[in-house]
Amino acid sequence: MANYKYHMLVCGGTGCFASQSDQIKKNLAQIIEEKGLQNEVQVVITGCFGFCEQGPIVKMLPDNTFYVRVKPEDCRELVEEHIIKGRKVNRLLYTDPENKEHVADSKHMEFYKKQLRIALRNCGFIDPENINEYIARDGYAALASVLEINNPLATIDVIKKSGLRGRGGGGFPTGLKWEIAAKNHADQKYVVCNADEGDPGAFMDRSILEGDPHSVLEAMAINGFCIGANKGLIYIRAEYPLAIERLLIAIKQAEETGLLGKNIFGSDFSFDIELRYGAGAFVCGEETALIHSMEGERGEPTFKPPFPAQEGYLKMPTNVNNVETYANIPVIILKGWEWFSSIGTEKSKGTKVFALAGKINNVGLIEVPMGITLREVVYEIGGGIKDGKKFKAMQTGGPSGGCLTEKFLDTPIDYDNLIEAGSMMGSGGMIVMDEDDCMVAVSKFYLEFTVEESCGKCTPCRIGNKRLYELLEKITEGKGTMEDLDILKSLSKVIKDTSLCGLGQTSPNPVLSTIDNFWDEYLAHVMEKKCPAGQCKALKSYIIEPDLCIGCGACVRVCPVNAIKGEKKMPHEINQADCIKCGACIEKCKFNAILIK
């Protein structure tokens, strides 16, 4: 990259691709060639920059200018103004929401200030389809070092001392998992990468695979050497076409370069990687269900022990780690366990990648040191709640997690603190909710997902969660009783204690956490037959305020069921028996005469 005067980095993650970033890249390359600048300017498609709310993004190097919400038609102006005339295109710069000033350098944006990118170190910086760019960033140097030292147990000890815990949800110590697999002797062992990622709103693993696939391949090879495996398998959902495409390119390039395959770096170590495709079953994020799916069986979990490290894929010792866990491995090898363990908290070392979404200004992918508080994530990195509304809760850990309220905003984020607060780290989803969200409905949403995704193998999960969902549906329709609330709590605890796998054991968490933190909302639904947030359709009433209604008839014309009656230029009324609560009338009324009660 050093031969070029300018580099234009274009975000090539799935989100920006959906907004024509591939066309932006083509337009920039065409205009640069038209201007005869192809020897001075290089256009590079990268992985995700993280700031998804502002995409598509084009970043200029070496001056680090960060252009946001770029459209294909903006390309000519970017080349002519920034490259040729040396002037920034102010209208495409990020605008700070506080002081309304343009911010050209991403280092000065609140979104990035408190981030520390380790797993995401190459995302948004290198071309993921060019192995040479990964190598230029010390790629495969960790594998070379491990093979040169030729001491698997010493490498495992480095991972153990680093304090790295599995980033897939459970937080099991990674080095210990490797050690168990290494001690189990067999003619054949396997290394597996869990890239299933089924949490609603989660896209951490997808973004790493799209932006830096070689970091995962390198880490899997290191894992294989450490446990005595020569075969790697990546289990990835078929709904990730871009990640799959870039993985296949990366595997081919690594094989052609001699970094995968036979006698890597001239050693006796050989290692191959293949992809296995999932159909999007959430339960296949659990490692035993994942293994069964790869074997062509139903994706159902089994009792442990034996653990996969003892008896996994094809009954052989198998080491399963998720994408983000692997992405940390090469850096730990190169920089040392002391460096990694100096980041984070006493029991949760390093950083964590989160998908920040919901009612927050800065939606995106973030990587922060363990121990950062929820308040810093929401109000600094996240830029606060949309439209200046009040923070209500944050769901962490996806369907397996819980809702954390305002009282937990100053809680340092790590595995143990989140569990103590009634939630969990999970794979890293963070959904922010505001005052307009109904927490009973939120709980019902997650239960609906869990019911759909249950494999059905064990009764507590298959039947118990269905009953939980039916109770929540009854409550949100205004038909619930106090007895139903008692059953909700007792049934949730039974499901937690008796389900076979982590999916069932954690599925009642959204119910229990919302009951603990928003009991008054449950009572309002049951006792008053009212949804305080006004979100439960069955409990809504659309009322026309007579003093504000001028009888224009606009609402009458859009009502699909003719529930609104009234004389012209006279206040109208809504027949509650006929009203289907679609909201068409309130959207059409220009006088704010229709209220929801």
Side-chain angles (χ1 to χ4, degrees):
M1 291 177 70
N3 295 329
Y4 293 95
K5 185 177 179 181
Y6 286 104
H7 301 278
M8 304 182 80
L9 308 182
V10 182
C11 178
T14 290
C16 286
F17 249 65
S19 299
Q20 295 186 286
S21 66
D22 57 336
Q23 189 60 49
I24 291 171
K25 194 259 186 185
K26 290 175 186 175
N27 287 4
L28 287 172
Q30 182 180 340
I31 295 165
I32 285 165
E33 185 175 357
E34 174 192 310
K35 300 289 184 182
L37 298 170
Q38 58 268 37
N39 294 325
E40 296 182 40
V41 184
Q42 184 187 36
V43 183
V44 179
I45 278 280
T46 71
C48 178
F49 282 90
F51 209 166
C52 305
E53 181 80 18
Q54 298 293 325
I57 291 165
V58 175
K59 188 173 183 178
M60 310 291 292
L61 295 180
D63 54 307
N64 213 40
T65 303
F66 198 85
Y67 290 116
V68 301
R69 298 183 179 177
V70 180
K71 296 182 177 65
E73 53 266 32
D74 297 324
C75 294
R76 183 168 297 277
E77 185 178 3
L78 282 177
V79 173
E80 292 179 350
E81 288 294 312
H82 193 109
I83 301 295
I84 296 175
K85 298 178 182 177
R87 301 189 300 215
K88 289 181 172 54
V89 182
N90 288 334
R91 70 179 183 85
L92 295 176
L93 294 175
Y94 174 71
T95 303
D96 188 288
E98 291 292 323
N99 54 34
K100 306 302 179 185
E101 293 180 356
H102 294 309
V103 182
D105 192 332
S106 59
K107 293 178 182 177
H108 300 142
M109 295 178 187
E110 292 296 329
F111 182 76
Y112 288 106
K113 278 183 181 178
K114 292 198 171 183
Q115 291 196 48
L116 177 60
R117 292 165 77 90
I118 297 176
L120 300 177
R121 61 194 177 278
N122 291 324
C123 294
F125 191 79
I126 66 170
D127 178 354
E129 298 182 15
N130 186 340
I131 191 172
N132 293 321
E133 293 201 9
Y134 179 69
I135 291 172
R137 296 269 290 174
D138 295 326
Y140 292 101
L143 177 59
S145 172
V146 165
L147 294 179
E148 183 179 11
I149 295 169
N150 196 25
N151 189 336
L153 293 180
T155 300
I156 290 174
D157 193 51
V158 169
I159 303 303
K160 285 176 67 178
K161 288 180 177 177
S162 73
L164 176 66
R165 296 172 65 172
R167 299 308 198 235
F172 191 83
T174 303
L176 180 58
K177 182 182 276 193
W178 288 24
E179 184 179 58
I180 295 169
K183 288 180 177 179
N184 285 290
H185 300 288
D187 294 335
Q188 179 69 58
K189 296 182 181 181
Y190 295 94
V191 167
V192 172
C193 174
N194 179 356
D196 187 58
E197 191 170 48
D199 286 12
F203 53 99
M204 299 76 60
D205 292 348
R206 186 197 75 201
S207 295
I208 292 172
L209 292 175
E210 290 175 355
D212 192 17
H214 285 285
S215 66
V216 175
L217 304 186
E218 180 179 12
M220 289 178 69
I222 292 170
N223 188 1
F225 176 75
C226 288
I227 71 169
N230 61 10
K231 187 73 173 178
L233 301 167
I234 300 176
Y235 184 80
I236 182 168
R237 51 183 46 224
E239 297 99 324
Y240 281 0
L242 185 58
I244 289 170
E245 179 186 347
R246 288 179 177 169
L247 270 174
L248 291 172
I249 291 170
I251 291 170
K252 183 180 179 182
Q253 289 179 343
E255 290 172 343
E256 291 173 346
T257 315
L259 297 170
L260 285 178
K262 301 290 184 185
N263 306 114
I264 299 172
F265 285 113
S267 69
D268 294 331
F269 176 61
S270 300
F271 193 75
D272 295 300
I273 296 177
E274 296 179 6
L275 302 191
R276 293 286 188 272
Y277 302 110
F282 181 61
V283 72
C284 287
E286 197 278 336
E287 56 185 10
T288 61
L290 179 155
I291 288 169
H292 294 149
S293 178
M294 290 200 306
E295 293 172 336
E297 304 292 333
R298 284 176 61 89
E300 294 178 337
T302 52
F303 285 107
K304 294 182 281 190
F307 293 92
Q310 301 163 313
E311 186 179 303
Y313 184 67
L314 302 180
K315 307 300 181 185
M316 297 298 178
T318 303
N319 213 153
V320 183
N321 292 118
N322 90 317
V323 171
E324 186 186 341
T325 308
Y326 279 125
N328 282 281
I329 298 296
V331 193
I332 293 173
I333 300 296
L334 292 178
K335 293 194 174 185
W337 66 265
E338 299 95 340
W339 167 80
F340 189 82
S341 65
S342 69
I343 303 165
T345 64
E346 183 181 354
K347 295 182 180 179
S348 298
K349 303 297 184 183
T351 59
K352 181 72 188 77
V353 180
F354 292 102
L356 189 60
K359 307 287 187 64
I360 195 158
N361 284 312
N362 297 339
V363 170
L365 195 70
I366 67 172
E367 184 173 3
V368 291
M370 294 281 196
I372 194 170
T373 65
L374 289 174
R375 187 181 300 277
E376 290 173 283
V377 169
V378 172
Y379 289 101
E380 295 180 42
I381 296 173
I385 310 302
K386 279 187 180 296
D387 302 319
K389 295 198 173 181
K390 183 176 172 58
F391 170 86
K392 189 169 190 177
M394 176 188 282
Q395 173 86 7
T396 67
S400 304
C403 293
L404 303 177
T405 62
E406 195 171 18
K407 67 182 179 183
F408 295 110
L409 279 175
D410 294 310
T411 300
I413 299 171
D414 67 14
Y415 289 97
D416 303 311
N417 284 336
L418 289 181
I419 290 174
E420 188 177 338
S423 188
M424 63 184 296
M425 185 81 72
S427 59
M430 279 188 168
I431 311 294
V432 178
M433 287 159 272
D434 68 10
E435 60 196 79
D436 293 334
D437 285 296
C438 169
M439 303 313 295
V440 185
V442 166
S443 180
K444 186 179 76 168
F445 166 79
Y446 283 111
L447 255 294
E448 183 177 19
F449 177 85
T450 304
V451 169
E452 177 71 24
E453 295 295 334
S454 172
C455 74
K457 184 173 183 177
C458 72
T459 304
C461 183
R462 182 182 71 250
I463 304 298
N465 280 318
K466 178 66 172 173
R467 297 291 88 83
L468 277 185
Y469 175 76
E470 289 169 351
L471 286 168
L472 290 168
E473 193 170 38
K474 183 180 176 184
I475 291 168
T476 56
E477 289 177 353
K479 301 173 183 176
T481 65
M482 290 302 295
E483 183 184 7
D484 291 330
L485 296 182
D486 292 335
I487 296 173
L488 263 185
K489 289 187 280 188
S490 61
L491 181 55
S492 293
K493 291 172 183 175
V494 170
I495 295 170
K496 282 180 71 74
D497 293 339
T498 58
S499 291
L500 172 61
C501 79
L503 184 148
Q505 292 162 8
T506 58
S507 58
N509 282 349
V511 179
L512 292 172
S513 67
T514 51
I515 284 176
D516 286 343
N517 295 311
F518 298 97
W519 179 243
D520 57 329
E521 287 198 28
Y522 280 87
L523 287 178
H525 282 71
V526 170
M527 301 295 290
E528 303 173 36
K529 308 303 179 188
K530 177 182 177 183
C531 175
Q535 295 299 314
C536 294
K537 191 173 181 179
L539 301 179
K540 286 182 181 179
S541 293
Y542 285 81
I543 306 294
I544 295 178
E545 181 62 51
D547 293 339
L548 298 177
C549 178
I550 66 167
C552 67
C555 58
V556 175
R557 290 189 289 273
V558 297
C559 180
V561 292
N562 298 317
I564 305 176
K565 305 295 181 184
E567 298 293 328
K568 192 174 182 179
K569 296 186 179 180
M570 295 293 291
H572 288 33
E573 291 184 0
I574 299 175
N575 186 325
Q576 297 301 319
D578 294 337
C579 179
I580 61 171
K581 305 175 177 67
C582 65
C585 57
I586 201 168
E587 290 179 12
K588 194 67 175 177
C589 181
K590 297 178 180 180
F591 304 98
N592 299 318
I594 304 176
L595 310 176
I596 300 175
K597 292 188 178 180

